[in-house]
Amino acid sequence: FLSLYGHRLPALCVDASSDGEMVATGSADKSVKIWGLDFGDCRRSLLAHTEAVTALRFVRDTHYFWTASKDRTLRHWDADAQACVQVLRAHKGDVWGLDL
């Protein structure tokens, strides 16, 4: 059993990498936190969006993941580099879900 503490507002989404090394959580505080599953340590906190992060999914067999937000964007992230790779801005309203 592992408890993860760190977001200032409620976590709205969570996903684990397929290799079981890390978990990422997205929050109403606009951030994404990347957690190590070995000790439950917060490896990185990213200011991910300008509004709440509503969905998050890892790409299978990688440490890449996508986030969706109420700011109407989708963002592609590299968890190892701890950086945003791509931003998609085509939505006209809040984005509440995504799946890969």
Side-chain angles (χ1 to χ4, degrees), residues 56-97:
L56 185 151
R57 291 289 180 269
F58 272 95
V59 177
R60 185 163 178 74
D61 298 326
T62 73
H63 286 167
Y64 289 102
F65 63 93
W66 285 86
T67 57
S69 172
K70 290 179 71 176
D71 69 7
R72 300 184 243 171
T73 66
L74 295 172
R75 295 177 190 253
H76 187 200
W77 299 87
D78 181 341
D80 292 326
Q82 303 168 346
C84 184
V85 176
Q86 182 179 18
V87 180
L88 302 177
R89 294 183 170 90
H91 289 86
K92 303 271 188 239
D94 302 351
V95 184
W96 284 94

Side-chain angles (χ1 to χ4, degrees), residues 7-13 25-32 51-53:
H7 287 290
R8 291 176 292 142
L9 293 173
L12 302 176
C13 49
T25 55
S27 172
D29 66 11
K30 308 172 192 173
S31 73
V32 167
E51 296 292 336
V53 181

